[in-house]
Amino acid sequence: MRVSMADVAERAGVSAQTVSRVANGSPRVDPATRVRVEKAMADLGYRMHRAARALRTGQTSTIGLVVSTLASVGNSRMLQAISEAAAARDYALAVVTVGERGIHDAFARLRSQGVDGAVVLNEATELARDTQPPADLHLVVVDSPPDERFSIVQTDHAGGARAATRYLLELGHSTVHHLAGPARSFAAAERERGWREALADAGVVAPEPVRGDWTSASGHLSVSELLEATAIFVANDQMALGALRALADAGRRVPDDVCVVGFDDVADAAEFRPPLTTVRQDFDALGRRAVAALVGAIEGGEPVAETVPASVVVRRSTAEV
């Protein structure tokens, strides 16, 4: 049997109007009363009827996700994190990919579904920056330079890369080579910046980076140019996986002959051979903050800019020289 607003009101000892205000996020509710109503909702399993709420508020409680591809592990992790964060706030999620018709078409598809706002993910953020987003569509972009048009949530890519490079130098390596991501990627550029800054701080001239496209196949192919290196910082774990295979094929032992550090800490990184030292991206925190920033914008809040820290996770692909 469907739980009604009246059932919640009776359980919480308040009026149905107060329950309605809590359900619709109205600030006109005493904090203690809000907690009591939310507990009653949880106890009874109450769910707001989206169509009814849309008629009352003009909002659908649906947000969108714009993404270039879901093939990469990082994007798939972000989809899961954003989906879970949206569900926790009782928002539905509509996902669109940017195809040949471009990001304007992606925005149009979301608007046709009546979304209240959208998160634009990673590589798609470049397209959002280069266009004029619809004025009636609230946006949060993940990984972007400052832009007053929308909220920005990002990992501290440069800080994580600096920490990884410093760690390799502290192991005794005279320099650290870099297998970088795509040139037009904001995250790749930030990771490269952090690598360069750590080398400069140590008085080391940065070697020319080798560039891949985030895939393990490109890591396998590109690392062939770095077979004489003793330390390699790889811009993501998938490319690091390909690099480990290429090094093994060339007879280079990890970590005895060469140390390898990745970035992301995907779920399988600890299962690589050897287990991969990497920089952990907190995808769950990114998803929560992106959804919180978007819901805040939908409810009339100001744009925000948030950065989530990244940290080095040491495993067996690195060792002292």
Side-chain angles (χ1 to χ4, degrees), residues 3 11 36-46:
V3 178
R11 170 66 71 93
R36 194 162 72 250
V37 171
E38 289 177 343
K39 183 178 186 303
M41 288 177 171
D43 291 344
L44 296 173
Y46 174 78

Side-chain angles (χ1 to χ4, degrees), residues 176-193:
V176 177
H177 291 259
H178 185 36
L179 176 48
R184 293 180 64 84
S185 165
F186 172 78
E190 286 294 282
R191 294 171 195 182
E192 183 176 334
R193 178 170 70 86

Side-chain angles (χ1 to χ4, degrees), residues 1-23 33-49:
M1 185 177 69
R2 184 180 178 85
V3 178
S4 69
M5 198 171 285
D7 295 329
V8 176
E10 182 178 358
R11 170 66 71 93
V14 299
S15 68
Q17 184 179 32
T18 298
V19 175
S20 177
R21 286 174 178 164
V22 171
T33 301
R34 182 184 299 278
V35 169
R36 194 162 72 250
V37 171
E38 289 177 343
K39 183 178 186 303
M41 288 177 171
D43 291 344
L44 296 173
Y46 174 78
R47 290 291 181 272
M48 174 65 104
H49 192 277

